Amino acid sequence: MNRINILNSPKSPIPVLLTCLLLFFFSTAVAQPHHTQGAEKTTAGKAISPDLFGVFFEDLSYAADGGLYAELIQNRSFEYNPGDHKGWDALTSWDYTTEGYGYGSISVETRFPLSAQNPHYVVLNVDEAGSGVGLTNSGFDGIAVKAGEQYKFSVFLKQFSNSGIPIEVRLQSKGGVVYGRLDLKTESREWKQYGAAITSDATDDNAVLVIVVKKKGILGLDMVSLFPQKTFHNRKNGLRADLGQVIAGLKPKFMRFPGGCLTHGDGLNNIYRWKNTIGPVERRVEQRNIWNYHQSMGLGYFEYFQFCEDIGAKPVPVVAAGVSCQNSGGSWRIGSTGQRALSLEAMKGYVQDILDLVEYANGSAATKWGAKRAAAGHLKPFNLEYLGIGNEDKITPEFRERFRLIYDAIKKKYPAITLIGTVGPDPSGAEYERGWAFAGQMAIPVVDEHYYQKPDWFLNNNLRYDAYARSGSKVYIGEYASWGNELANALAEASYMTSLERNGDVVRMASYAPLLARQGNTSWNPNLIYFTNTKVCPTVNYYVQQLFSCNQGDRYFDHIVSFIGGNVLKDSSLAASCVRDSKTGDIILKIVNCRPSSAKAEASLTRFGMINSKAKLLVLRGKPGDQNTMDDPGNCQPSTADFTAQEQVSYEAPPYSLSIIRIKTSASGIRINDKQDPRDAKKEVEKNVPVLNTL
């Protein structure tokens, strides 16, 4: 996406007529080999990508710190500064606290840092302890605690006084009601980590953490941390359980991370460097987030890889192509300093960093970077298959030169890695053309297309990928969404997604974007999932993504579904697809009706042999303006019912609906194509016990 500073500012939509003219031009241009022939028309079915639907995570709208990353303390290391966000400083989210006539002073210092990567720390100089002198942290719009739950507190302390200093740590209400506490005493004049679990005896969405010194003395504090005991998969330095689970509920085939605009950064010094995000959290290099806040890097590359493994998604990391965002210092609307490029001398080390990333992910524990992964707790490789280079970059000579250096080095050392290029931020235009021409010259295996458009664009472009060549670079739609979270938006996306299945031999992957947004802190709208400290609100768009992702197939069958009085392809307010899941043998019909009246759909399943009449029907339906909110997060979501299937299926699709019909087939009756020996088909299905995939 193009970084913008004004919320809810969609890009101006390209008129349909202009779009059609551009597509016509592209289809005849020599420099556009991807628009040269029609989609495969076959009655036997065709293989499609097994990695079609996944997710894209970018740390914007507080998706990481204050979001998926489960840390409850904001500015835990006192590294915030005005460069992150106007008005911020090292004590943002902290309040100096005195109790019972205690007094002293507080300062932020750098003389004796915990680590060179984490230079700032707080010094409390307590003249008179009273009932306590210290600090209070308010978290991210409060700290949410639950009665009976445990929270793991830790802090690094440095005792500047000669004798030990007693400390009291409390979880309490803003009004002073204590929910849980623990007592510590310093033991060293060197930095040392202390910690223990605190059990809350009450539920409060807006609690605070209080740390007070109980004796006269001088004390250094850094890396103040509070984690819920229950994280997603109970991981150390883990992720918020409810957000992790709602992402896992999509059953994504892959996850792209960490960005987005975040990857190539706001200027060269802000490029995301993966090595700064691994190892002990107190030694990670924090930095400004391009979306105008701060990155603690607590959610780093190890945690990303681990999360992908936990949810069964292939990792798709994206690295900058040696250039910064062309919108650095501003935005595409207001102007900027423009794209900047690393020097060719600096590129030597930068390319090596990317090669080291592959070794970190896939190398044995005997390698330098594989050993670092193993030391973090993951002995076996993460099995990296995909790697993205660049994001929506302006295709300048500087970009091309640096992309080529990275691309050639990876292909030489790691030829099995599938590399993903970039073709700009829009579905057409100058950068799109230049990107595709460059992809053709370089024979890039996959390129990343992005587009955010109005619902009508998706309905009017259902045939977009039918015209793409079946050879050459494949497509990853790394970011796409219609401008809104109403049912009408979601159904336009659903209609378009049937075309992605139909063209799954060209479209390798697709991911809605953005994934997560903290309510009240959104940098971009719309998003797939909104959340607060205590609530998660999957949008209607989320349920469309879930219905498609949880019901993916690996083989597409054309001319199965037809509408009475409507054409599946030419009128995409009615759209349908038919795929088969080879692992289960299931036939999956997806039927989209964006119209205000019901539509009769018919499907002929005779080619699939014996059909099990006991099928499942999942339906998402409602009014065009329906949406889910924090007050009513379940307002519009799918329902599940039994469905009686037969070789000739007749189905009345409700108005404004997406319907999924999942049908089991007999092992003795499945044929992949007309020439296949039925005995081979039976053997294929017997390898995979049919199990219905439900939400």
Side-chain angles (χ1 to χ4, degrees):
M1 64 190 68
N2 275 316
R3 184 165 63 102
I4 57 178
N5 293 328
I6 301 174
L7 302 185
N8 295 304
S9 297
K11 302 168 189 172
S12 298
I14 299 174
V16 173
L17 177 59
L18 177 58
T19 302
C20 294
L21 290 173
L22 288 170
L23 289 174
F24 174 77
F25 171 76
F26 295 153
S27 69
T28 59
V30 175
Q32 302 300 324
H34 58 293
H35 280 116
T36 58
Q37 64 185 52
E40 176 187 354
K41 302 295 183 182
T42 173
T43 59
K46 63 179 177 183
I48 61 174
S49 172
D51 301 328
L52 191 52
F53 300 119
V55 295
F56 164 46
F57 180 93
E58 179 170 11
D59 182 10
L60 77 162
S61 302
Y62 286 72
D65 295 320
L68 184 60
Y69 185 50
E71 174 65 77
L72 296 172
I73 301 302
Q74 184 169 191
N75 191 19
R76 66 183 177 184
S77 56
F78 309 103
E79 297 295 333
Y80 278 25
N81 66 76
D84 297 328
H85 190 88
K86 186 177 181 179
W88 281 8
D89 58 36
L91 290 175
T92 293
S93 296
W94 292 97
D95 289 315
Y96 178 56
T97 302
T98 60
E99 300 174 345
Y101 306 108
Y103 59 89
S105 63
I106 181 174
S107 60
V108 178
E109 302 187 9
T110 59
R111 186 179 177 187
F112 303 107
L114 173 60
S115 70
Q117 299 87 352
N118 179 18
H120 295 91
Y121 59 95
V122 160
V123 173
L124 287 172
N125 190 335
V126 181
D127 294 321
E128 184 65 49
S131 299
V133 175
L135 291 167
T136 298
N137 189 274
S138 54
F140 295 89
D141 302 321
I143 297 174
V145 295
K146 294 182 180 180
E149 296 289 320
Q150 285 195 327
Y151 298 86
K152 293 193 292 185
F153 170 82
S154 66
V155 61
F156 279 89
L157 300 173
K158 180 177 175 63
Q159 169 191 312
F160 289 97
S161 302
N162 291 325
S163 59
I165 300 175
I167 299 163
E168 182 179 88
V169 182
R170 304 192 302 266
L171 275 174
Q172 65 180 49
S173 72
K174 284 190 172 182
V177 178
V178 177
Y179 303 140
R181 55 169 286 173
L182 65 87
D183 295 301
L184 303 171
K185 188 174 183 179
T186 61
E187 302 170 348
S188 173
R189 291 175 61 87
E190 301 299 324
W191 285 109
K192 180 180 178 180
Q193 189 175 34
Y194 301 80
I198 303 175
T199 301
S200 176
D201 62 10
T203 296
D204 187 348
D205 298 347
N206 201 26
V208 296
L209 179 79
V210 179
I211 306 170
V212 290
V213 173
K214 307 293 284 185
K215 175 185 173 183
K216 179 179 180 178
I218 304 174
L219 180 69
L221 301 90
D222 204 353
M223 292 299 294
V224 183
S225 177
L226 186 72
F227 269 84
Q229 186 79 26
K230 296 177 181 178
T231 59
F232 186 69
H233 283 211
N234 296 314
R235 298 292 191 185
K236 182 181 178 181
N237 191 47
L239 308 182
R240 186 170 145 178
D242 54 352
L243 286 177
Q245 189 56 54
V246 77
I247 297 171
L250 289 166
K251 295 188 178 178
K253 290 294 194 275
F254 65 88
M255 186 175 89
R256 177 183 181 231
F257 64 88
C261 294
L262 185 83
T263 299
H264 54 190
D266 198 7
L268 294 177
N269 291 331
N270 195 235
I271 287 177
Y272 193 100
R273 304 281 187 147
W274 77 271
K275 287 182 178 178
N276 290 344
T277 77
I278 63 170
V281 291
E282 66 272 14
R283 296 187 181 276
R284 298 183 185 184
V285 181
E286 304 183 21
Q287 71 177 34
R288 176 173 58 91
N289 186 305
I290 193 172
W291 296 100
N292 299 314
Y293 55 102
H294 188 84
Q295 300 175 80
S296 74
M297 299 302 183
L299 174 51
Y301 256 71
F302 179 83
E303 290 77 22
Y304 280 124
F305 278 124
Q306 185 172 251
F307 182 55
C308 287
E309 185 174 84
D310 285 344
I311 65 176
K314 294 181 180 180
V316 185
V318 181
V319 297
V323 296
S324 68
C325 179
Q326 57 264 30
N327 298 316
S328 293
S331 77
W332 67 278
R333 282 189 178 277
I334 66 173
S336 65
T337 59
Q339 184 187 83
R340 294 289 184 265
L342 292 173
S343 70
L344 293 180
E345 182 63 28
M347 281 299 296
K348 296 176 183 178
Y350 185 72
V351 170
Q352 186 58 53
D353 283 348
I354 298 173
L355 294 175
D356 292 343
L357 169 59
V358 180
E359 182 176 285
Y360 180 80
N362 289 356
S364 74
T367 63
K368 176 182 177 180
W369 291 97
K372 292 182 182 294
R373 181 200 66 239
H378 201 281
L379 184 63
K380 294 181 179 179
F382 283 117
N383 300 317
L384 179 67
E385 296 180 23
Y386 295 103
L387 180 64
I389 307 173
N391 172 76
E392 296 184 356
D393 296 291
K394 195 173 182 65
I395 312 298
T396 60
E398 292 79 10
F399 165 84
R400 292 187 184 95
E401 185 175 19
R402 285 150 184 80
F403 182 99
R404 190 185 297 272
L405 289 172
I406 299 168
Y407 182 88
D408 289 346
I410 297 172
K411 292 305 293 181
K412 181 179 180 180
K413 188 168 184 179
Y414 299 108
I417 297 294
T418 298
L419 297 175
I420 302 171
T422 179
V423 295
D426 296 300
S428 59
E431 299 310 321
Y432 172 85
E433 294 179 45
R434 294 188 189 107
W436 267 106
F438 184 58
Q441 294 165 13
M442 294 288 294
I444 300 172
V446 183
V447 296
D448 182 13
E449 292 189 355
H450 294 179
Y451 34 84
Y452 297 88
Q453 302 289 333
K454 289 185 176 181
D456 284 350
W457 184 93
F458 289 93
L459 295 176
N460 292 332
N461 284 273
N462 195 278
L463 297 177
R464 176 181 175 86
Y465 295 109
D466 292 61
Y468 277 41
R470 302 351 252 181
S471 59
S473 302
K474 305 302 181 185
V475 178
Y476 169 32
I477 310 169
E479 300 181 26
Y480 75 97
S482 67
W483 288 110
N485 289 126
E486 296 180 349
L487 180 61
N489 299 93
L491 292 179
E493 292 157 2
S495 172
Y496 193 72
M497 292 170 77
T498 65
S499 79
L500 305 186
E501 289 192 317
R502 184 173 68 251
N503 291 284
D505 54 333
V506 169
V507 179
R508 177 74 68 88
M509 300 182 290
S511 49
Y512 183 103
L515 178 64
L516 294 175
R518 182 182 179 89
Q519 184 169 278
N521 298 103
T522 53
S523 311
W524 182 277
N525 282 301
N527 299 276
L528 198 64
I529 302 162
Y530 290 85
F531 64 90
T532 65
N533 283 344
T534 58
K535 295 180 180 179
V536 178
C537 179
T539 61
V540 186
N541 316 68
Y542 170 93
Y543 289 112
V544 164
Q545 293 293 322
Q546 186 183 54
L547 286 168
F548 273 79
S549 187
C550 291
N551 293 282
Q552 294 189 55
D554 53 15
R555 198 162 189 88
Y556 179 84
F557 293 87
D558 220 340
H559 307 299
I560 297 294
V561 180
S562 60
F563 291 94
I564 305 302
N567 185 285
V568 178
L569 297 180
K570 293 181 179 179
D571 182 3
S572 64
S573 62
L574 296 176
S577 66
C578 174
V579 296
R580 175 176 174 267
D581 180 352
S582 295
K583 291 183 178 180
T584 64
D586 293 356
I587 301 299
I588 305 158
L589 305 179
K590 299 181 178 76
I591 301 170
V592 184
N593 181 7
C594 301
R595 296 179 175 181
S597 58
S598 62
K600 186 175 182 181
E602 294 182 345
S604 177
L605 306 180
T606 55
R607 74 181 67 182
F608 302 113
M610 297 177 65
I611 299 298
N612 189 325
S613 63
K614 295 181 179 179
K616 285 292 181 183
L617 171 66
L618 299 98
V619 181
L620 177 69
R621 62 182 297 185
K623 298 177 182 178
D626 283 353
Q627 57 184 316
N628 296 331
T629 64
M630 287 296 174
D631 292 332
D632 192 3
N635 178 53
C636 190
Q637 58 183 334
S639 61
T640 305
D642 293 329
F643 183 83
T644 301
Q646 49 192 351
E647 288 189 346
Q648 298 295 329
V649 173
S650 181
Y651 176 69
E652 196 79 17
Y656 301 114
S657 67
L658 164 62
S659 302
I660 309 288
I661 303 175
R662 189 159 187 136
I663 304 166
K664 288 185 176 297
T665 55
S666 169
S668 61
I670 294 178
R671 297 192 304 277
I672 292 181
N673 58 59
D674 296 334
K675 297 180 180 179
Q676 183 179 21
D677 188 321
R679 291 170 296 181
D680 294 335
K682 183 175 186 296
K683 290 177 182 178
E684 178 182 343
V685 177
E686 284 176 342
K687 290 187 297 183
N688 303 285
V689 179
V691 178
L692 183 64
N693 227 355
T694 56
L695 299 180

